[in-house]
């Protein structure tokens, strides 16, 4: 995707009809008629390594969840059209026959930002673990966006009482560390392979290859199994199974912390029409045309 200051200059000169903007420059173009924003299907979240003695404690995970104001993070750090997640499955990705969005049907399952609750859960965790303080390492990749989000998260957790150290690596190294269980908390993302909740929910079944933190829940597994077998032919019940499983994953167990759905902001020639942006799969340019 074309972006950067040189690309913006080419766009302004009429040599390009589309240029993606980074969060650093969006404010300079926010009132323009040719500014467009749209959501991707990428769900960014915090992955926990359940092999870590601290993170195996639910109060620790809840304290982390309550510490992070995801809406403020999107508004003040990302500023690129990204939105706070209400669950792990993103908006505008899975739509049923009636045109209902899965996210609307499932509702909000994430824990809401609450500094008092965060500090209370942190105190509970220290008591349960028999420690005075909790130290964790945050793993993230060396892209500017990830660095900014990681800095925001670290600051939020330190205000709660956590001691947080940073581990910044290229994406390939980050993924390798996650695969090798060489991490505590990781800033990670998942994008859909197809337009259905299953493409997200399969990740956390016990033993799944992308279940890096080794989350295990018989209740979660049984709900996913039910969605794929008993209720497979009933689209309504199937979605209900996924929604209940998502509630177990995100709310009841706080096994992950959904952060934001990645957005895109760009300058697009007002004469350029017909581009169809999709949360799942590739964007469609078949009907794209540039008016004279």
């Amino acid at each position: 995707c074309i972006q950067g200051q040189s690309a913006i200059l080419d766009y302004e000169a009429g040599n390009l009809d589309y240029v993606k903007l980074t969060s650093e420059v969006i404010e300079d173009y926010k009132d323009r008629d040719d500014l467009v924003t749209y959501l991707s299907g990428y769900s960014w979240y915090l992955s926990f390594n359940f092999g870590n003695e601290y993170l195996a404690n639910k109060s620790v995970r809840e304290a982390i969840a309550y510490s992070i104001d995801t809406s403020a993070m999107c508004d003040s750090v990302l500023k690129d059209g990204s939105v706070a997640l209400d669950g792990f499955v993103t908006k505008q990705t899975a739509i049923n026959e009636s045109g209902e969005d899965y996210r609307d049907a499932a509702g909000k399952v994430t824990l809401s930002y609450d500094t008092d609750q965060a500090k209370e859960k942190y105190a509970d965790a220290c008591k349960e673990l028999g420690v005075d303080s909790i130290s964790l390492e945050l793993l993230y990749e060396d892209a500017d966006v990830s660095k900014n989000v990681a800095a925001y998260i670290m600051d939020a957790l330190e205000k709660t009482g956590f001691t947080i150290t940073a581990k910044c690596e290229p994406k390939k190294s980050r993924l390798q560390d996650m695969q090798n269980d060489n991490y505590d908390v990781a800033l990670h993302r998942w994008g859909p392979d197809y337009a259905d909740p299953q493409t997200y929910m399969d990740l956390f079944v016990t033993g799944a290859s992308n279940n890096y933190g080794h989350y295990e829940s018989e209740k979660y597994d049984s709900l996913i199994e039910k969605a794929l077998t008993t209720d497979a032919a009933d689209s309504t019940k199937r979605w209900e199974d996924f929604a209940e499983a998502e509630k177990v994953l995100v709310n009841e167990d706080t096994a992950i912390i959904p952060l934001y759905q990645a957005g895109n902001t760009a300058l697009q020639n007002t004469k350029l029409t017909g581009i169809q942006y999709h949360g799942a799969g590739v964007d469609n340019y078949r009907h794209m045309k540039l008016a004279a």
Side-chain angles (χ1 to χ4, degrees):
C1 189
I2 300 174
Q3 60 182 10
Q5 193 59 46
S6 61
I8 293 174
L9 292 174
D10 272 340
Y11 176 88
E12 300 286 27
N15 299 323
L16 294 174
D17 294 302
Y18 175 98
V19 59
K20 187 175 179 182
L21 301 180
T22 59
S23 58
E24 291 79 11
V25 301
I26 286 173
E27 285 293 314
D28 297 333
Y29 300 92
K30 64 180 181 179
D31 297 322
R32 291 177 48 146
D33 292 337
D34 55 349
L35 189 76
V36 296
T37 61
Y38 56 96
L39 291 172
S40 74
Y42 282 107
S43 179
W44 280 90
Y45 65 100
L46 290 182
S47 169
F48 297 132
N49 186 345
F50 279 75
N52 179 291
E53 62 174 326
Y54 294 145
L55 293 167
N57 179 279
K58 183 181 176 183
S59 294
V60 171
R61 303 193 302 272
E62 289 177 324
I64 294 173
Y66 284 124
S67 297
I68 304 169
D69 187 342
T70 54
S71 293
M73 183 178 69
C74 290
D75 293 339
S76 64
V77 178
L78 291 163
K79 298 183 291 186
D80 58 0
S82 297
V83 297
L85 282 166
D86 288 337
F88 182 51
V89 180
T90 57
K91 300 177 180 179
Q92 301 176 15
T93 301
I95 310 296
N96 66 15
E97 297 88 343
S98 302
E100 185 178 24
D101 191 307
Y102 168 85
R103 187 71 271 144
D104 293 333
K108 177 180 170 65
V109 295
T110 52
L111 299 181
S112 298
Y113 170 63
D114 188 323
T115 55
D116 290 337
Q117 279 276 45
K119 291 176 181 177
E120 182 178 323
K121 290 295 182 181
Y122 181 81
D124 289 344
C126 288
K127 184 177 180 179
E128 291 161 9
L129 293 163
V131 298
D132 295 325
S133 62
I134 297 170
S135 299
L136 296 168
E137 184 179 74
L138 177 62
L139 173 65
Y140 56 97
E141 59 195 58
D142 58 359
D144 287 342
V145 172
S146 292
K147 289 179 181 178
N148 294 338
V149 170
Y152 184 89
I153 292 171
M154 292 174 68
D155 180 65
L157 298 187
E158 287 169 354
K159 288 177 180 176
T160 295
F162 290 97
T163 298
I164 306 295
T165 56
K167 187 176 184 180
C168 181
E169 299 182 329
K171 181 179 179 179
K172 184 176 180 180
S173 299
R174 173 183 68 79
L175 290 172
Q176 192 64 56
D177 271 343
M178 293 182 72
Q179 290 168 354
N180 293 337
D181 298 331
N182 184 27
Y183 79 104
D184 296 340
V185 184
L187 179 58
H188 188 45
R189 75 171 188 177
W190 183 258
D193 296 315
Y194 47 92
D196 189 88
Q198 183 181 342
T199 190
Y200 297 90
M201 304 305 290
D202 278 349
L203 266 67
F204 298 102
V205 172
T206 300
S209 60
N210 288 298
N211 185 358
Y212 294 130
H214 303 293
Y215 166 66
E216 295 183 7
S217 167
E218 290 184 6
K219 183 176 181 181
Y220 182 88
D221 290 349
S222 65
L223 284 164
I224 299 301
E225 179 67 17
K226 186 180 177 185
L228 303 182
T229 56
T230 308
D231 295 338
D234 188 322
S235 59
T236 299
K237 290 183 178 179
R238 183 173 176 273
W239 269 30
E240 289 174 352
D241 294 336
F242 284 132
E244 183 61 29
E246 187 182 35
K247 184 179 179 181
V248 171
L249 175 74
V250 175
N251 191 291
E252 294 181 15
D253 291 346
T254 322
I256 62 168
I257 298 178
L259 297 172
Y260 68 95
Q261 178 175 355
N264 298 289
T265 299
L267 295 176
Q268 179 177 315
N269 189 331
T270 55
K271 295 181 179 181
L272 180 63
T273 60
I275 301 176
Q276 298 175 355
Y277 299 109
H278 298 301
V282 296
D283 297 329
N284 188 347
Y285 301 96
R286 177 180 297 179
H287 306 292
M288 180 178 66
K289 60 182 179 181
L290 186 64

